[in-house]
mmCIF file of all heavy atoms in Angstrom:
data_model
loop_
_atom_site.group_PDB
_atom_site.id
_atom_site.type_symbol
_atom_site.label_atom_id
_atom_site.label_comp_id
_atom_site.label_asym_id
_atom_site.label_seq_id
_atom_site.Cartn_x
_atom_site.Cartn_y
_atom_site.Cartn_z
ATOM 1 N N HIS A 28 26.285 45.448 59.404
ATOM 2 C CA HIS A 28 27.706 45.452 59.089
ATOM 3 C C HIS A 28 28.382 46.666 59.714
ATOM 4 O O HIS A 28 27.752 47.713 59.906
ATOM 5 C CB HIS A 28 27.909 45.462 57.572
ATOM 6 C CG HIS A 28 27.530 44.182 56.919
ATOM 7 N ND1 HIS A 28 28.111 43.735 55.764
ATOM 8 C CD2 HIS A 28 26.627 43.228 57.265
ATOM 9 C CE1 HIS A 28 27.595 42.574 55.417
ATOM 10 N NE2 HIS A 28 26.676 42.250 56.310
ATOM 11 N N GLN A 50 36.871 45.873 75.436
ATOM 12 C CA GLN A 50 36.495 47.254 75.714
ATOM 13 C C GLN A 50 35.979 47.949 74.462
ATOM 14 O O GLN A 50 35.002 48.695 74.507
ATOM 15 C CB GLN A 50 37.713 48.022 76.270
ATOM 16 C CG GLN A 50 37.422 49.454 76.687
ATOM 17 C CD GLN A 50 36.336 49.548 77.760
ATOM 18 O OE1 GLN A 50 36.337 48.776 78.722
ATOM 19 N NE2 GLN A 50 35.409 50.479 77.578
ATOM 20 N N PHE A 103 26.008 21.417 43.109
ATOM 21 C CA PHE A 103 24.668 21.716 42.584
ATOM 22 C C PHE A 103 24.759 22.209 41.138
ATOM 23 O O PHE A 103 23.978 21.798 40.281
ATOM 24 C CB PHE A 103 23.997 22.781 43.459
ATOM 25 C CG PHE A 103 22.794 23.416 42.826
ATOM 26 C CD1 PHE A 103 21.569 22.755 42.809
ATOM 27 C CD2 PHE A 103 22.878 24.664 42.216
ATOM 28 C CE1 PHE A 103 20.459 23.333 42.211
ATOM 29 C CE2 PHE A 103 21.775 25.247 41.617
ATOM 30 C CZ PHE A 103 20.563 24.573 41.618
ATOM 31 N N GLY A 117 12.598 22.846 33.405
ATOM 32 C CA GLY A 117 12.967 24.226 33.726
ATOM 33 C C GLY A 117 13.781 24.369 34.996
ATOM 34 O O GLY A 117 14.153 23.379 35.648
ATOM 35 N N SER A 189 -19.959 61.538 28.735
ATOM 36 C CA SER A 189 -20.706 61.582 27.465
ATOM 37 C C SER A 189 -20.710 60.220 26.778
ATOM 38 O O SER A 189 -21.670 59.850 26.103
ATOM 39 C CB SER A 189 -20.094 62.629 26.528
ATOM 40 O OG SER A 189 -18.737 62.316 26.262
ATOM 41 N N MET A 218 -17.744 43.192 17.771
ATOM 42 C CA MET A 218 -17.444 44.620 17.939
ATOM 43 C C MET A 218 -18.769 45.377 17.850
ATOM 44 O O MET A 218 -19.424 45.383 16.804
ATOM 45 C CB MET A 218 -16.470 45.064 16.848
ATOM 46 C CG MET A 218 -15.908 46.450 17.027
ATOM 47 S SD MET A 218 -14.534 46.706 15.871
ATOM 48 C CE MET A 218 -14.218 48.444 16.181
ATOM 49 N N THR A 219 -19.192 45.995 18.954
ATOM 50 C CA THR A 219 -20.518 46.616 19.056
ATOM 51 C C THR A 219 -20.401 48.118 19.290
ATOM 52 O O THR A 219 -19.672 48.560 20.187
ATOM 53 C CB THR A 219 -21.325 45.978 20.207
ATOM 54 O OG1 THR A 219 -21.350 44.561 20.037
ATOM 55 C CG2 THR A 219 -22.735 46.524 20.259
ATOM 56 N N GLY A 233 -7.659 31.170 17.029
ATOM 57 C CA GLY A 233 -6.960 31.330 18.298
ATOM 58 C C GLY A 233 -7.275 32.669 18.934
ATOM 59 O O GLY A 233 -8.148 33.416 18.484
ATOM 60 N N GLU A 249 -12.327 47.571 6.579
ATOM 61 C CA GLU A 249 -13.258 47.029 5.581
ATOM 62 C C GLU A 249 -14.600 47.758 5.600
ATOM 63 O O GLU A 249 -15.225 47.957 4.559
ATOM 64 C CB GLU A 249 -13.495 45.538 5.840
ATOM 65 C CG GLU A 249 -12.317 44.654 5.436
ATOM 66 C CD GLU A 249 -12.559 43.192 5.774
ATOM 67 O OE1 GLU A 249 -13.550 42.894 6.488
ATOM 68 O OE2 GLU A 249 -11.759 42.343 5.330
ATOM 69 N N ASN A 250 -15.039 48.160 6.796
ATOM 70 C CA ASN A 250 -16.345 48.811 6.929
ATOM 71 C C ASN A 250 -16.245 50.326 7.070
ATOM 72 O O ASN A 250 -17.270 50.999 7.279
ATOM 73 C CB ASN A 250 -17.083 48.227 8.136
ATOM 74 C CG ASN A 250 -17.340 46.733 7.994
ATOM 75 O OD1 ASN A 250 -18.240 46.310 7.283
ATOM 76 N ND2 ASN A 250 -16.533 45.924 8.670
ATOM 77 N N ALA A 272 -4.433 50.588 19.386
ATOM 78 C CA ALA A 272 -4.799 51.990 19.609
ATOM 79 C C ALA A 272 -3.838 52.924 18.893
ATOM 80 O O ALA A 272 -4.239 53.961 18.360
ATOM 81 C CB ALA A 272 -4.808 52.287 21.107
ATOM 82 N N LYS A 276 -5.259 55.161 16.048
ATOM 83 C CA LYS A 276 -5.341 56.466 16.737
ATOM 84 C C LYS A 276 -6.649 56.646 17.501
ATOM 85 O O LYS A 276 -7.471 57.514 17.202
ATOM 86 C CB LYS A 276 -5.170 57.619 15.727
ATOM 87 C CG LYS A 276 -3.902 57.556 14.902
ATOM 88 C CD LYS A 276 -2.667 57.560 15.768
ATOM 89 C CE LYS A 276 -1.385 57.462 14.925
ATOM 90 N NZ LYS A 276 -0.186 57.204 15.732
ATOM 91 N N GLY A 298 -24.824 37.362 23.804
ATOM 92 C CA GLY A 298 -25.967 36.538 24.196
ATOM 93 C C GLY A 298 -26.864 36.215 23.012
ATOM 94 O O GLY A 298 -27.411 35.105 22.917
ATOM 95 N N LEU A 299 -27.003 37.162 22.079
ATOM 96 C CA LEU A 299 -27.802 36.916 20.875
ATOM 97 C C LEU A 299 -27.150 35.846 19.997
ATOM 98 O O LEU A 299 -27.846 35.020 19.399
ATOM 99 C CB LEU A 299 -27.966 38.220 20.083
ATOM 100 C CG LEU A 299 -28.774 39.335 20.774
ATOM 101 C CD1 LEU A 299 -28.771 40.599 19.931
ATOM 102 C CD2 LEU A 299 -30.202 38.875 21.044
ATOM 103 N N ARG A 302 -28.045 32.395 20.923
ATOM 104 C CA ARG A 302 -29.372 31.907 20.542
ATOM 105 C C ARG A 302 -29.272 30.919 19.386
ATOM 106 O O ARG A 302 -30.082 30.005 19.259
ATOM 107 C CB ARG A 302 -30.276 33.078 20.135
ATOM 108 C CG ARG A 302 -30.670 33.996 21.267
ATOM 109 C CD ARG A 302 -31.621 35.073 20.774
ATOM 110 N NE ARG A 302 -31.977 36.001 21.847
ATOM 111 C CZ ARG A 302 -32.806 37.035 21.688
ATOM 112 N NH1 ARG A 302 -33.354 37.261 20.494
ATOM 113 N NH2 ARG A 302 -33.081 37.842 22.714
ATOM 114 N N ASN A 316 -19.757 33.003 4.907
ATOM 115 C CA ASN A 316 -21.149 33.297 4.584
ATOM 116 C C ASN A 316 -22.053 33.088 5.804
ATOM 117 O O ASN A 316 -22.987 33.876 6.045
ATOM 118 C CB ASN A 316 -21.597 32.387 3.427
ATOM 119 C CG ASN A 316 -22.870 32.907 2.779
ATOM 120 O OD1 ASN A 316 -23.036 34.107 2.560
ATOM 121 N ND2 ASN A 316 -23.791 31.994 2.479
ATOM 122 N N LYS A 319 -21.636 36.118 8.066
ATOM 123 C CA LYS A 319 -22.350 37.288 7.547
ATOM 124 C C LYS A 319 -23.859 37.170 7.794
ATOM 125 O O LYS A 319 -24.527 38.153 8.133
ATOM 126 C CB LYS A 319 -22.074 37.457 6.045
ATOM 127 C CG LYS A 319 -20.676 37.937 5.722
ATOM 128 C CD LYS A 319 -20.459 39.345 6.231
ATOM 129 C CE LYS A 319 -19.039 39.820 5.980
ATOM 130 N NZ LYS A 319 -18.789 41.132 6.645
#
Side-chain angles (χ1 to χ4, degrees):
H28 290 209
Q50 184 59 44
F103 165 78
S189 59
M218 189 168 174
T219 307
E249 286 177 350
N250 299 282
K276 305 301 179 191
L299 295 176
R302 291 183 182 181
N316 197 42
K319 288 294 177 188

